[in-house]
Amino acid sequence: MRTCRHFGVSLCCEDMRRTATILLLLIISSLSFAKVEMIGAAPAESFPEAVTKILEAKGYRVALPDGTVICEVWFRSRVPAETGRNVEGANYPELSPSELVGVVRFPKQVSDFRGQPIRPGSYALRYELLPNDGNHMGVAPNRDFVLLAPADDPDPAASVSSEQLVALSEKAAGTPHPAVFSLVSPDGDTFPSIYKNDDGFYVFVVKLKTSTGDLPIGLVVKGQAQ
């Protein structure tokens, strides 16, 4: 039986190979990866019945590479949409401003796209366009966002103005600014999944079910504007 002698240690070559394999497996098992997993229905105690009954029966738990669950998301089972719209600077012109697209729960404090802290808890997600004015130029590569609104939305089908939605989002954030999360064009063709894009943002991608068909979207769950 051959032996290998290095630094005064004598080991069987086969034993060394086994040891190296075990160490490699231990290293791999200690690593965490960003991932998305399916979960059950949205908790009835967190959202009104009027909201839960229009959500999909399954949700998504989104975790970062360190294993931290950043959010749990439940999307609307059929988001109203309209094809043929041309909205300057928008990736998702099919969606109408203020439309409820789903709900989210944050187990721990997070930061929105502005970098402001968002308290743990449950919120509604409503689509909105970044105002197309000089005050917001360069804030994001496109105008699509979801704004957090209070979870106790009594009428998810209600249409609210941009000003009303901003006021609701300020209430949810507990600050003078709305709580905003950017929507970007998804990379790749794996849905659902999460990845880190070239800007360093963690993007959760999923196919949103709409009245005109599946709509791939990318939600920035971690990352903020410079």
Side-chain angles (χ1 to χ4, degrees), residues 42-90:
E45 66 274 12
S46 299
F47 305 99
E49 183 182 0
V51 172
T52 57
K53 71 179 184 181
I54 64 171
L55 300 177
E56 292 185 297
K58 299 288 185 179
Y60 304 89
R61 180 174 290 126
V62 184
L64 299 177
D66 63 2
T68 300
V69 174
I70 191 166
C71 63
E72 295 174 337
V73 188
W74 295 267
F75 290 105
R76 199 166 172 173
S77 58
R78 188 173 179 270
V79 180
E82 183 179 334
T83 59
R85 288 177 179 159
N86 184 16
V87 181
E88 182 182 358

Side-chain angles (χ1 to χ4, degrees), residues 31-189:
L31 297 175
S32 295
F33 301 92
K35 65 178 183 178
V36 178
E37 62 178 318
M38 300 296 295
I39 56 176
E45 66 274 12
S46 299
F47 305 99
E49 183 182 0
V51 172
T52 57
K53 71 179 184 181
I54 64 171
L55 300 177
E56 292 185 297
K58 299 288 185 179
Y60 304 89
R61 180 174 290 126
V62 184
L64 299 177
D66 63 2
T68 300
V69 174
I70 191 166
C71 63
E72 295 174 337
V73 188
W74 295 267
F75 290 105
R76 199 166 172 173
S77 58
R78 188 173 179 270
V79 180
E82 183 179 334
T83 59
R85 288 177 179 159
N86 184 16
V87 181
E88 182 182 358
N91 286 334
Y92 306 106
E94 302 94 329
L95 303 179
S96 297
S98 87
E99 195 72 67
L100 181 80
V101 297
V103 297
V104 65
R105 188 182 78 86
F106 298 113
K108 298 181 179 180
Q109 179 174 293
V110 298
S111 297
D112 72 353
F113 198 65
R114 291 176 53 92
Q116 66 178 344
I118 303 300
R119 295 165 295 187
S122 300
Y123 303 88
L125 296 173
R126 285 186 177 267
Y127 175 77
E128 189 53 84
L129 289 166
L130 189 72
N132 198 10
D133 57 33
N135 293 329
H136 296 87
M137 288 184 64
V139 172
N142 53 280
R143 298 176 59 197
D144 310 86
F145 283 82
V146 287
L147 273 60
L148 302 188
D152 57 351
D153 192 328
D155 185 2
S159 177
V160 298
S161 68
S162 294
E163 292 77 13
Q164 289 172 322
L165 179 54
V166 166
L168 285 171
S169 191
E170 290 172 351
K171 180 180 178 182
T175 72
H177 301 285
V180 297
F181 287 80
S182 179
L183 289 174
V184 298
S185 295
D187 292 337
D189 54 5

